[in-house]
Amino acid sequence: MFSQNIIEMIIILFLFSFAIAISLKEYKLGRYKSFMLTIYFEILLVLSLFISNIYENTVISVINNYLNISMILIGMMLVFNGFIFIKEFKNKSSNKKTKLKLSKVKLLVKNNISIIILLTCSYFGVLINIIYLAPSIWFPIFDLGIVLAFFSFILIVVIYSFLNNFIQTKKTYGFIGKFLILMGLYFLAIYAFVPNFQIALSSSMNPLDLPINNMLIYILAIGIICFISGFIIKRSKKFKNLI
């Protein structure tokens, strides 16, 4: 039987691998560049896990204390990145040329910001959850990281190859953008609302007591962020009619 933590790790690994694979296809980098970018990503992940393994006690303590808030931030970034992805590719498909005089590096970052954000979120999301999972299954962080990094690489290669060879679609940025938004909302639900809801159900309390002091703070903060983000998106010409 798989534990809940293992199932969550598999889901997270699959979601990020799928998002990276379809993004690489959408960017049309070619097989060689896509595979090399994937290899660099996995090498960076393994090196980070190696360093984490050296400072195991400190790193595990920090992750255990800040797991939920870290994944909530990643979820918010994914939702934001979904809109950025759609906007970026709509601009590319419209052949809009920037009038700003930027260096090649700045221009490269500006034109590919969505995949940079996605890779950053994927890196931290997978790294954090591997460190969190390792102690619960009595497995060294680095050893578990090697296995899951290899599994992630295989997933990305298989999904990318399948999409590249068998799925010939145009303007898939709409799909990947919405997928990233839903993926971000999934993380917000799992790490912000579900834990507090479970505590509320399992806690005994007086009629005027709250089961956890932070629950209303989380809900209020996320509600305010969603309200402000929705207002900005509604009023902004850049994000208008993205979906």
Side-chain angles (χ1 to χ4, degrees), residues 157-179:
V157 170
V158 169
I159 295 171
Y160 174 84
S161 299
F162 176 79
L163 293 173
N164 202 45
N165 293 329
F166 298 103
I167 307 297
Q168 300 296 329
T169 57
K170 295 182 179 180
K171 296 184 179 180
T172 55
Y173 58 80
F175 170 76
I176 183 59
K178 293 174 183 178
F179 176 79

Side-chain angles (χ1 to χ4, degrees), residues 14-235:
F14 177 79
L15 289 175
F16 280 121
S17 298
F18 181 81
I20 291 173
I22 196 170
S23 297
L24 291 174
K25 178 184 182 299
E26 185 61 39
Y27 270 87
K28 299 178 182 178
L29 299 176
R31 291 187 180 182
Y32 177 76
K33 288 184 179 180
S34 298
F35 290 165
M36 290 305 299
L37 185 60
T38 304
I39 290 172
Y40 292 147
F41 173 80
E42 302 299 346
I43 290 175
L44 178 61
L45 181 63
V46 170
L47 288 175
S48 300
L49 289 166
F50 175 75
I51 296 172
S52 300
N53 196 67
I54 297 174
Y55 303 98
E56 181 178 3
N57 294 332
T58 302
V59 171
I60 290 175
S61 177
V62 171
I63 294 299
N64 287 339
N65 291 332
Y66 297 101
L67 172 69
N68 283 6
I69 188 65
S70 298
M71 294 306 295
I72 289 171
L73 291 174
I74 290 173
M76 290 179 176
M77 286 301 300
L78 287 172
V79 172
F80 175 74
N81 195 34
F83 290 105
I84 292 295
F85 201 104
I86 297 171
K87 175 180 176 293
E88 181 179 314
F89 276 86
K90 272 198 171 183
N91 289 343
K92 287 183 178 180
S93 64
S94 301
N95 295 320
K96 292 183 178 180
K97 295 182 179 179
T98 179
K99 296 181 179 180
L100 299 175
K101 294 182 179 180
L102 302 174
S103 65
K104 289 184 178 180
V105 175
K106 290 183 178 179
L107 189 61
L108 182 65
V109 172
K110 176 180 171 58
N111 293 335
N112 302 279
I113 188 64
S114 57
I115 196 169
I116 295 174
I117 296 175
L118 174 59
L119 290 173
T120 302
C121 290
S122 301
Y123 166 76
F124 284 107
V126 174
L127 178 67
I128 288 169
N129 280 275
I130 290 176
I131 296 172
Y132 179 73
L133 174 63
S136 66
I137 60 175
W138 298 94
F139 215 78
I141 293 175
F142 182 67
D143 294 348
L144 180 63
I146 289 289
V147 174
L148 293 181
F150 178 75
F151 180 59
S152 173
F153 175 76
I154 295 299
L155 266 178
I156 294 173
V157 170
V158 169
I159 295 171
Y160 174 84
S161 299
F162 176 79
L163 293 173
N164 202 45
N165 293 329
F166 298 103
I167 307 297
Q168 300 296 329
T169 57
K170 295 182 179 180
K171 296 184 179 180
T172 55
Y173 58 80
F175 170 76
I176 183 59
K178 293 174 183 178
F179 176 79
L180 291 177
I181 294 171
L182 291 175
M183 186 174 164
L185 293 176
Y186 168 78
F187 287 137
L188 290 177
I190 292 297
Y191 291 97
F193 295 107
V194 172
N196 292 319
F197 185 68
Q198 289 176 338
I199 293 173
L201 291 178
S202 61
S203 300
S204 59
M205 59 181 179
N206 296 325
L208 297 179
D209 291 337
L210 291 174
I212 182 170
N213 294 328
N214 292 331
M215 183 170 65
L216 285 180
I217 297 176
Y218 284 144
I219 294 174
L220 183 62
I222 293 173
I224 292 173
I225 292 172
C226 291
F227 176 79
I228 294 174
S229 300
F231 180 78
I232 293 173
I233 292 170
K234 182 68 176 178
R235 299 285 295 180

